């Protein structure tokens, strides 16, 4: 195999995920056969650096030897920062910011007149030129001649050459404060997360997602969930969700399997995750009710969610949309946190945005202060949903009045038959002072205790 592969190779520790680059039939019964695209987990190194002991992700009991040259390591997809992207600012604001008007000083903003499109603003001979960047089939263009997958690629192109613009882009005007990030489909291929379209079969519709519909499906004989993207404008948000998921692996978080993006421009993009047969927790609670679900089940669901959230907490990731509707239940009855559509690095706070009011902490609603502690607040609301068998929180309080009520000290009563120790946890999660709310690692310990004695 190519020398580049050998030099790139690092020592893999147990638990490292690799993905098949070629089919491997195996020579002896000690070998673990696999196909291109199969996911394998490293079990141990061997004396020969070219061979590792591994197991299959879809059949953990099957172990054997694999040749390193036939696989590549899977790694997290990184997002690209866009320091020159200023978001939704007006034309006048862009012109005010672009100073001194040196030729080639530039920024990109979201178009005010055409939301979802962008405007490239470039200084030239003391003026500011505004070029509309439009979208076609997931691609971006200024002139309908050159097309780019991302703004970063567009910027790189016009940095190298004016190519019809008044000047080439020379110096970005960096945004103050937090940068926006963008993701890029080719990153998913490079990091081993690409899934071949021919390996997927779409099945029944499971539900309506934020970006599009969610289907059951088959991926190489494994039952999976397939999230589709309806609104092409949302491709960046969709890919951000997937890229957050590439960095996560935990038994109580819904596992990403990969992203399907081959077939070129205009082909739909899919996010493929493990399938959770019993669907979302809120429907599960409502349909089974008190006759089926016992206090022990409720405590176990609570513990499972706390465990997944403690893992996110340890990674400094904020979920922002924790609610019973975003928890899924597996065939064995394990709860897993899903829907990382709004998840972000704790240091990254978005301005504005739509948030699920009844689940969101007051400081997050008022001042966009999202943190692990605002997730803890939402966790308290989810506990209330769990112990009330899927009721909508703050029954009888109109949505517009919830925040005011909560800020003046109102808290929901305990659901009927809720154990007092669980209600006291809810109340600690709803402390108005974020720092006083418990950590997820503590909540996990307490709920594990409650579950084992229930
Ligand atoms: P959204 O982005 O709109 O919040 P979700 O990820 O919550 O989308 O998915 C919408 C619905 O699709 C869920 O409520 C659930 O019923 C179903 N669903 C999503 N993912 C899975 C999965 N992995 N297994 C089973 N059902 C799923
Ligand atoms: Mg959801």
């Amino acid at each position: 195999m190519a020398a580049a592969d050998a030099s790139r190779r690092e020592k893999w520790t147990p638990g490292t995920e690799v993905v098949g680059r070629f089919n491997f039939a195996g020579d002896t019964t000690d070998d673990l056969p696999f196909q291109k695209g199969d996911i394998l987990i490293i079990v141990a190194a061997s004396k020969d650096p070219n061979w590792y002991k591994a197991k299959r992700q879809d059949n953990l009991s099957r172990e054997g030897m694999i040749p390193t040259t036939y696989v590549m390591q899977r790694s997290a997809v990184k997002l690209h920062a866009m320091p020159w992207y200023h978001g939704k600012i007006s034309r006048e604001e862009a012109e005010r910011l672009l100073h001194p008007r040196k030729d080639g000083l530039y920024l990109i903003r979201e178009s005010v007149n055409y939301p979802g499109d962008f405007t490239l603003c470039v200084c030239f001979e003391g003026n500011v030129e505004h070029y509309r960047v439009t979208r076609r089939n997931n691609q971006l263009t200024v002139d309908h001649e050159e097309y780019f997958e991302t703004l970063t690629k567009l910027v790189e192109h016009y940095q190298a050459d004016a190519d019809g613009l008044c000047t080439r882009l020379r110096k970005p005007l960096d945004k103050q404060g937090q940068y926006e990030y963008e993701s890029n489909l080719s990153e998913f291929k490079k990091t081993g997360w690409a899934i071949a379209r021919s390996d997927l079969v779409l099945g029944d519709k499971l539900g309506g997602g934020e970006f599009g519909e969610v289907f059951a499906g088959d991926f190489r004989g494994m039952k999976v969930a397939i999230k589709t993207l309806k609104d092409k404008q949302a491709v960046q948000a969709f890919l951000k969700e997937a890229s957050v998921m590439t960095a996560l692996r935990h038994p109580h978080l819904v596992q990403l399997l990969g992203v399907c993006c081959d077939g070129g421009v205009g082909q739909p993009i899919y996010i493929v995750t493990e399938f959770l047969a019993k669907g979302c927790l809120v429907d599960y609670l409502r349909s089974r009710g008190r006759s089926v679900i016992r206090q022990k089940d409720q405590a176990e669901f609570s513990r499972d969610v706390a465990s997944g959230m403690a893992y996110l907490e340890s990674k400094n990731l904020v979920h922002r949309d924790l609610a019973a509707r975003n928890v899924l239940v597996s065939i064995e009855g394990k709860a897993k946190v899903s829907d990382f559509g709004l998840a972000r690095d704790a240091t990254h706070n978005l301005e504005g945005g739509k948030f699920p009011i009844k689940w969101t902490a007051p400081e997050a609603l008022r001042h966009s202060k999202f943190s692990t502690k605002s997730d803890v607040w939402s966790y308290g609301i989810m506990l209330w949903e769990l112990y009330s068998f899927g009721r909508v929180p703050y029954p009888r309080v109109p949505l517009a009045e919830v925040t005011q009520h909560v800020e003046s000290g109102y808290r929901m009563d305990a659901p009927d038959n809720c154990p007092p120790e669980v209600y006291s946890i809810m109340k600690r999660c709803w402390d108005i002072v974020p720092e006083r709310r418990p950590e997820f690692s503590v909540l996990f310990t307490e709920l594990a205790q409650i579950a084992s004695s229930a």
Side-chain angles (χ1 to χ4, degrees), residues 206-210 214 225 227 254 273-276 280 325-326 328 338-339:
L206 295 171
E210 185 201 339
V214 184
K227 261 190 157 177
V254 171
T273 66
E274 66 173 311
F275 177 73
L276 282 104
C280 89
R325 65 181 171 279
N326 287 333
L328 299 171
S338 85
D339 213 344

mmCIF file of all heavy atoms in Angstrom, residues 206-210 214 225 227 254 273-276 280 325-326 328 338-339, ligand 1:
data_model
loop_
_atom_site.group_PDB
_atom_site.id
_atom_site.type_symbol
_atom_site.label_atom_id
_atom_site.label_comp_id
_atom_site.label_asym_id
_atom_site.label_seq_id
_atom_site.Cartn_x
_atom_site.Cartn_y
_atom_site.Cartn_z
ATOM 1 N N LEU A 206 -41.093 7.911 10.316
ATOM 2 C CA LEU A 206 -41.208 7.840 11.780
ATOM 3 C C LEU A 206 -41.790 9.108 12.373
ATOM 4 O O LEU A 206 -42.451 9.096 13.393
ATOM 5 C CB LEU A 206 -39.836 7.616 12.407
ATOM 6 C CG LEU A 206 -39.128 6.300 12.106
ATOM 7 C CD1 LEU A 206 -37.711 6.344 12.633
ATOM 8 C CD2 LEU A 206 -39.898 5.152 12.723
ATOM 9 N N GLY A 207 -41.471 10.221 11.762
ATOM 10 C CA GLY A 207 -41.948 11.475 12.329
ATOM 11 C C GLY A 207 -41.446 12.645 11.513
ATOM 12 O O GLY A 207 -40.657 12.489 10.580
ATOM 13 N N GLY A 208 -41.942 13.820 11.906
ATOM 14 C CA GLY A 208 -41.504 15.027 11.234
ATOM 15 C C GLY A 208 -40.390 15.647 12.039
ATOM 16 O O GLY A 208 -40.537 15.869 13.234
ATOM 17 N N GLY A 209 -39.272 15.897 11.435
ATOM 18 C CA GLY A 209 -38.153 16.536 12.133
ATOM 19 C C GLY A 209 -38.145 18.015 11.857
ATOM 20 O O GLY A 209 -38.938 18.513 11.060
ATOM 21 N N GLU A 210 -37.243 18.711 12.534
ATOM 22 C CA GLU A 210 -37.126 20.152 12.374
ATOM 23 C C GLU A 210 -36.703 20.505 10.952
ATOM 24 O O GLU A 210 -37.143 21.485 10.378
ATOM 25 C CB GLU A 210 -36.091 20.660 13.389
ATOM 26 C CG GLU A 210 -35.951 22.166 13.426
ATOM 27 C CD GLU A 210 -34.621 22.593 14.012
ATOM 28 O OE1 GLU A 210 -33.989 21.799 14.729
ATOM 29 O OE2 GLU A 210 -34.207 23.724 13.719
ATOM 30 N N VAL A 214 -38.196 12.125 9.184
ATOM 31 C CA VAL A 214 -37.316 11.086 9.704
ATOM 32 C C VAL A 214 -37.911 9.738 9.306
ATOM 33 O O VAL A 214 -39.109 9.510 9.508
ATOM 34 C CB VAL A 214 -37.186 11.180 11.245
ATOM 35 C CG1 VAL A 214 -36.201 10.151 11.769
ATOM 36 C CG2 VAL A 214 -36.767 12.589 11.676
ATOM 37 N N ALA A 225 -32.258 4.903 11.745
ATOM 38 C CA ALA A 225 -33.136 6.048 11.509
ATOM 39 C C ALA A 225 -32.412 6.974 10.539
ATOM 40 O O ALA A 225 -31.208 7.176 10.654
ATOM 41 C CB ALA A 225 -33.449 6.765 12.814
ATOM 42 N N LYS A 227 -32.500 10.749 8.923
ATOM 43 C CA LYS A 227 -33.034 12.120 8.959
ATOM 44 C C LYS A 227 -32.797 12.763 7.615
ATOM 45 O O LYS A 227 -31.669 12.761 7.119
ATOM 46 C CB LYS A 227 -32.270 12.935 10.019
ATOM 47 C CG LYS A 227 -32.976 13.063 11.324
ATOM 48 C CD LYS A 227 -32.273 14.069 12.222
ATOM 49 C CE LYS A 227 -33.250 14.578 13.238
ATOM 50 N NZ LYS A 227 -32.678 15.496 14.204
ATOM 51 N N VAL A 254 -27.946 9.019 21.508
ATOM 52 C CA VAL A 254 -28.230 8.340 20.242
ATOM 53 C C VAL A 254 -26.988 8.423 19.358
ATOM 54 O O VAL A 254 -26.406 9.492 19.175
ATOM 55 C CB VAL A 254 -29.449 8.983 19.542
ATOM 56 C CG1 VAL A 254 -29.621 8.433 18.138
ATOM 57 C CG2 VAL A 254 -30.702 8.718 20.361
ATOM 58 N N THR A 273 -28.612 7.464 12.004
ATOM 59 C CA THR A 273 -28.307 7.155 13.406
ATOM 60 C C THR A 273 -28.847 5.765 13.746
ATOM 61 O O THR A 273 -29.601 5.182 12.981
ATOM 62 C CB THR A 273 -28.975 8.155 14.384
ATOM 63 O OG1 THR A 273 -30.395 7.993 14.288
ATOM 64 C CG2 THR A 273 -28.606 9.588 14.088
ATOM 65 N N GLU A 274 -28.464 5.280 14.900
ATOM 66 C CA GLU A 274 -29.016 4.020 15.378
ATOM 67 C C GLU A 274 -30.537 4.189 15.521
ATOM 68 O O GLU A 274 -31.033 5.303 15.717
ATOM 69 C CB GLU A 274 -28.381 3.619 16.708
ATOM 70 C CG GLU A 274 -28.713 4.551 17.852
ATOM 71 C CD GLU A 274 -28.199 4.041 19.211
ATOM 72 O OE1 GLU A 274 -28.426 2.868 19.536
ATOM 73 O OE2 GLU A 274 -27.580 4.834 19.930
ATOM 74 N N PHE A 275 -31.257 3.079 15.430
ATOM 75 C CA PHE A 275 -32.712 3.097 15.484
ATOM 76 C C PHE A 275 -33.175 2.764 16.894
ATOM 77 O O PHE A 275 -32.701 1.807 17.492
ATOM 78 C CB PHE A 275 -33.268 2.063 14.502
ATOM 79 C CG PHE A 275 -34.756 1.954 14.527
ATOM 80 C CD1 PHE A 275 -35.549 2.951 13.982
ATOM 81 C CD2 PHE A 275 -35.374 0.849 15.100
ATOM 82 C CE1 PHE A 275 -36.936 2.855 14.000
ATOM 83 C CE2 PHE A 275 -36.763 0.742 15.122
ATOM 84 C CZ PHE A 275 -37.539 1.752 14.568
ATOM 85 N N LEU A 276 -34.093 3.576 17.436
ATOM 86 C CA LEU A 276 -34.633 3.277 18.768
ATOM 87 C C LEU A 276 -36.095 2.888 18.637
ATOM 88 O O LEU A 276 -36.964 3.729 18.411
ATOM 89 C CB LEU A 276 -34.390 4.457 19.722
ATOM 90 C CG LEU A 276 -32.920 4.398 20.153
ATOM 91 C CD1 LEU A 276 -32.091 5.417 19.445
ATOM 92 C CD2 LEU A 276 -32.793 4.481 21.643
ATOM 93 N N CYS A 280 -40.041 8.110 20.787
ATOM 94 C CA CYS A 280 -39.682 9.183 21.705
ATOM 95 C C CYS A 280 -40.387 9.004 23.051
ATOM 96 O O CYS A 280 -41.492 8.456 23.146
ATOM 97 C CB CYS A 280 -39.888 10.547 21.075
ATOM 98 S SG CYS A 280 -41.496 11.244 21.285
ATOM 99 N N ARG A 325 -39.544 14.874 24.553
ATOM 100 C CA ARG A 325 -39.724 14.579 23.122
ATOM 101 C C ARG A 325 -38.390 14.298 22.430
ATOM 102 O O ARG A 325 -38.353 13.718 21.351
ATOM 103 C CB ARG A 325 -40.448 15.732 22.405
ATOM 104 C CG ARG A 325 -39.645 17.011 22.385
ATOM 105 C CD ARG A 325 -40.333 18.185 21.702
ATOM 106 N NE ARG A 325 -39.535 19.387 21.966
ATOM 107 C CZ ARG A 325 -39.590 20.101 23.085
ATOM 108 N NH1 ARG A 325 -40.460 19.779 24.024
ATOM 109 N NH2 ARG A 325 -38.803 21.136 23.281
ATOM 110 N N ASN A 326 -37.294 14.740 23.041
ATOM 111 C CA ASN A 326 -35.972 14.510 22.457
ATOM 112 C C ASN A 326 -35.185 13.410 23.166
ATOM 113 O O ASN A 326 -33.969 13.333 23.054
ATOM 114 C CB ASN A 326 -35.164 15.817 22.432
ATOM 115 C CG ASN A 326 -35.700 16.754 21.365
ATOM 116 O OD1 ASN A 326 -36.274 16.310 20.381
ATOM 117 N ND2 ASN A 326 -35.526 18.049 21.578
ATOM 118 N N LEU A 328 -35.167 9.239 23.332
ATOM 119 C CA LEU A 328 -35.720 8.079 22.633
ATOM 120 C C LEU A 328 -35.512 6.828 23.473
ATOM 121 O O LEU A 328 -34.613 6.784 24.316
ATOM 122 C CB LEU A 328 -35.053 7.915 21.262
ATOM 123 C CG LEU A 328 -35.235 9.077 20.271
ATOM 124 C CD1 LEU A 328 -34.352 8.885 19.046
ATOM 125 C CD2 LEU A 328 -36.683 9.215 19.837
ATOM 126 N N SER A 338 -31.342 12.489 22.344
ATOM 127 C CA SER A 338 -31.148 12.695 20.905
ATOM 128 C C SER A 338 -31.329 14.159 20.559
ATOM 129 O O SER A 338 -31.500 14.997 21.436
ATOM 130 C CB SER A 338 -32.148 11.852 20.112
ATOM 131 O OG SER A 338 -33.368 12.528 19.973
ATOM 132 N N ASP A 339 -31.312 14.409 19.266
ATOM 133 C CA ASP A 339 -31.635 15.723 18.738
ATOM 134 C C ASP A 339 -30.646 16.794 19.184
ATOM 135 O O ASP A 339 -30.946 17.657 20.006
ATOM 136 C CB ASP A 339 -33.053 16.101 19.171
ATOM 137 C CG ASP A 339 -33.728 16.943 18.115
ATOM 138 O OD1 ASP A 339 -33.025 17.453 17.239
ATOM 139 O OD2 ASP A 339 -34.950 17.096 18.188
HETATM 140 P P1 LIG B 1 -36.257 17.282 15.234
HETATM 141 O O1 LIG B 1 -35.032 17.782 14.577
HETATM 142 O O2 LIG B 1 -37.494 17.773 14.580
HETATM 143 O O3 LIG B 1 -36.364 17.553 16.687
HETATM 144 P P2 LIG B 1 -36.073 14.515 15.956
HETATM 145 O O4 LIG B 1 -34.678 14.043 15.923
HETATM 146 O O5 LIG B 1 -36.622 14.868 17.305
HETATM 147 O O6 LIG B 1 -36.245 15.718 14.956
HETATM 148 O O7 LIG B 1 -36.982 13.410 15.282
HETATM 149 C C1 LIG B 1 -38.385 13.556 15.067
HETATM 150 C C2 LIG B 1 -39.106 12.261 15.431
HETATM 151 O O8 LIG B 1 -38.632 11.149 14.659
HETATM 152 C C3 LIG B 1 -38.891 11.846 16.890
HETATM 153 O O9 LIG B 1 -39.794 12.439 17.752
HETATM 154 C C4 LIG B 1 -39.069 10.324 16.822
HETATM 155 O O10 LIG B 1 -40.414 9.979 16.884
HETATM 156 C C5 LIG B 1 -38.520 9.975 15.446
HETATM 157 N N1 LIG B 1 -37.103 9.561 15.540
HETATM 158 C C6 LIG B 1 -36.027 10.358 15.401
HETATM 159 N N2 LIG B 1 -34.869 9.683 15.550
HETATM 160 C C7 LIG B 1 -35.207 8.396 15.791
HETATM 161 C C8 LIG B 1 -34.451 7.187 16.035
HETATM 162 N N3 LIG B 1 -33.123 7.207 16.061
HETATM 163 N N4 LIG B 1 -35.140 6.055 16.250
HETATM 164 C C9 LIG B 1 -36.483 6.061 16.237
HETATM 165 N N5 LIG B 1 -37.252 7.152 16.020
HETATM 166 C C10 LIG B 1 -36.639 8.318 15.786
#
